[in-house]
């Protein structure tokens, strides 16, 4: 394993980004009001999503642990704050530690790794893998008939992804 040197907040944000397969901006601007720990769900509002639609993210046990390590009292407070209190982490804050460690990877590359893992290591249907990434892949006709976001199936795959990231083995697959 490579040691990555950064503040505790940056390391938590980077791990949370990887575990949720979210875009870094979605994580850097996440507020405590978007998190429902009882339902282990993160709901990202439409205005912060690339596709302009609200996106629910099922949280793995480890993602919940990360959130529980951070004490945030106000629902409008950023979860992962920059060095100046109340300010978000900068766009480069998650990238710089990877570069300093000599890793030739990008933060966004973890989303690609997640997608490749879904296709190569599991039998996750394409629409579920793409839904995990909040991608809009259907044509207009398919979107008109689609009435699900596959949330519970996405919960399963995100749990498997967290186990994989922790070095575990896959004992189950999503179908």
């Amino acid at each position: 394993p490579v040691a990555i040197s950064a503040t505790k907040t940056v390391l938590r944000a980077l791990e949370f980004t990887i575990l949720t397969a979210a875009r870094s901006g979605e994580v850097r601007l996440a507020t405590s009001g978007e998190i429902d720990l009882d339902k282990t769900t993160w709901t990202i509002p439409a205005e912060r999503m690339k596709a302009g639609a609200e996106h629910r993210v099922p949280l793995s046990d480890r993602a919940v642990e990360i959130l529980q390590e951070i004490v945030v009292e106000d629902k409008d407070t950023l979860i992962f704050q920059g060095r100046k209190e109340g300010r978000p982490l900068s766009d480069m804050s998650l990238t710089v530690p990877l570069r300093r460690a000599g890793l030739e990877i990008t933060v966004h590359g973890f989303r690609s790794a997640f997608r490749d893992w879904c296709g190569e290591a599991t039998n996750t249907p394409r629409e579920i893998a793409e839904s995990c990434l909040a991608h809009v892949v259907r044509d207009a006709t398919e979107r008109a008939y689609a009435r699900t976001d596959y949330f519970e199936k996405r919960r399963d795959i995100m749990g498997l992804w967290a186990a994989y990231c922790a070095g575990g083995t896959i004992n189950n697959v999503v179908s």
Side-chain angles (χ1 to χ4, degrees), residues 23-45:
R23 293 175 183 89
S24 65
E26 296 161 1
V27 171
R28 291 183 304 100
L29 298 176
T31 64
S32 59
E34 297 169 7
I35 305 294
D36 185 333
L37 289 177
D38 293 332
K39 294 182 180 176
T40 60
T41 301
W42 171 28
T43 304
I44 308 169

Side-chain angles (χ1 to χ4, degrees), residues 92-106:
M92 292 300 293
S93 60
L94 303 182
T95 300
V96 169
L98 300 174
R99 288 185 183 166
R100 285 187 187 144
L103 299 172
E104 294 184 21
I105 55 177
T106 64

